[in-house]
Amino acid sequence: MREVWDLTEGAPAVDRTAPADETATPAPSGAPVSDVSALLDGVPRQRSGGGVPCATVGPGVREPTAVKRPRLRVPGVWRLLPTPTGTPFTFGYGIVLCLTSLFSAYADPALVHALLQGSSTDVAHLVRTPELVLIGSALWLAGGVASPFAIGFVLVLTALERRIGGLRTAGVFLLGHVLATLATEVPVGLAVLAGQLPESSLHRLDYGVSFGVAAGTGALAGLLPLWLRVPLLAGFGGMLLQDLLDLTDPMTNWGHLIALAIGVATWPVVRRWRRRRVGSIGPVRG
């Protein structure tokens, strides 16, 4: 039986917590105060069960937070291509052009020719249904998806939309498409009235997205640094001049140069749009 000292009388007293037939072992002098079972031997010890003790957080110490996983970054090369969320205008428009290109490649040639003729922005159609043909002519790719202007559509409009937004990119495209079309077809109509061209020129087959792409290229050049702007304008403009000198389709070739000039003329506006967009959502890469 273990003895404890009665502090009031100074004599040893009987420990009423220990069993009668068992001698309690004295607690080690270095036992921590937090170990209650070491001070009160009569209290059964808790089974450890092999578990990991819970760590207590001291005052002024923050609890560990979950580690955030690093976000996956899209490689820069993929930013050259349109995406549904990043460039919805270019992506959606590109899907439409792919569908019409497949249709023109595999549908009945007579049906395809009839649709293209009905969508042509020639003088005869511009006089009767200008809104319909101006929209319809921009739904087809002249030369298919492998043509230079089809590739330019993807690269140029994607880069432009990332800088100024979808609606403004559509506005630049539509501006070049409409103005360059009128600038080439109105002189044809006047020349027919003056007797300088035959009446068959009023029904010239004219469709495609090349005027809009040329305007977008001119506008994009104004948003690029000088070391990219000069090669882009020199290379694209030189290609258009070479086509004009070849005299394959002078009216269309003139229309490309006019559309490029229209895009260059939008530099003050697109630069202002760019500054507003950067100020509202932060820097836009690509």
Side-chain angles (χ1 to χ4, degrees):
M1 180 180 299
R2 193 181 65 169
E3 294 181 353
V4 296
W5 290 94
D6 191 344
L7 297 180
T8 58
E9 300 179 0
V14 178
D15 183 3
R16 287 181 287 270
T17 61
D21 59 347
E22 181 180 344
T23 302
T25 58
S29 60
V33 178
S34 60
D35 192 351
V36 180
S37 61
L39 297 179
L40 302 177
D41 291 317
V43 179
R45 295 177 180 269
Q46 299 294 324
R47 296 180 181 179
S48 61
V52 179
C54 296
T56 59
V57 180
V61 180
R62 295 183 179 179
E63 295 185 1
T65 57
V67 179
K68 295 183 179 181
R69 296 182 179 180
R71 297 177 61 184
L72 296 178
R73 293 182 177 272
V74 180
V77 64
W78 293 109
R79 294 182 63 84
L80 299 176
L81 302 178
T83 59
T85 55
T87 56
F89 168 71
T90 306
F91 184 85
Y93 198 173
I95 294 295
V96 173
L97 293 176
C98 288
L99 294 176
T100 56
S101 297
L102 289 174
F103 178 82
S104 61
Y106 296 102
D108 180 47
L111 176 60
V112 172
H113 183 268
L115 292 175
L116 292 177
Q117 189 67 50
S119 303
S120 176
T121 51
D122 53 42
V123 177
H125 285 99
L126 285 173
V127 171
R128 293 196 300 266
T129 56
E131 299 88 356
L132 180 61
V133 295
L134 284 171
I135 296 175
S137 63
L139 300 179
W140 306 90
L141 280 172
V145 293
S147 64
F149 280 102
I151 299 173
F153 172 90
V154 173
L155 298 179
V156 169
L157 293 191
T158 297
L160 186 61
E161 186 172 357
R162 289 191 185 278
R163 286 164 172 80
I164 65 174
L167 290 177
R168 292 164 177 170
T169 300
V172 172
F173 180 92
L174 189 62
L175 183 69
H177 177 69
V178 173
L179 293 185
T181 298
L182 296 177
T184 53
E185 293 297 338
V186 170
V188 171
L190 296 176
V192 171
L193 291 177
Q196 301 297 322
L197 289 176
E199 190 175 349
S200 60
S201 301
L202 299 176
H203 304 279
R204 191 173 67 95
L205 190 62
D206 188 14
Y207 66 92
V209 298
S210 57
F211 290 170
V213 173
T217 304
L220 176 64
L223 303 177
L224 298 177
L226 188 62
W227 64 275
L228 285 175
R229 182 188 312 156
V230 173
L232 177 61
L233 289 177
F236 187 70
M239 182 188 71
L240 298 182
L241 286 174
Q242 184 61 47
D243 292 340
L244 181 62
L245 294 176
D246 292 340
L247 298 176
T248 53
D249 189 355
M251 296 306 300
T252 299
N253 300 145
W254 273 114
H256 291 154
L257 288 171
I258 294 172
L260 178 63
I262 292 171
V264 172
T266 64
W267 282 4
V269 178
V270 295
R271 285 171 175 172
R272 185 165 60 250
W273 288 343
R274 167 67 169 174
R275 288 192 297 268
R276 290 178 181 175
R277 183 174 174 83
V278 171
S280 61
I281 65 174
V284 180
R285 295 179 54 191

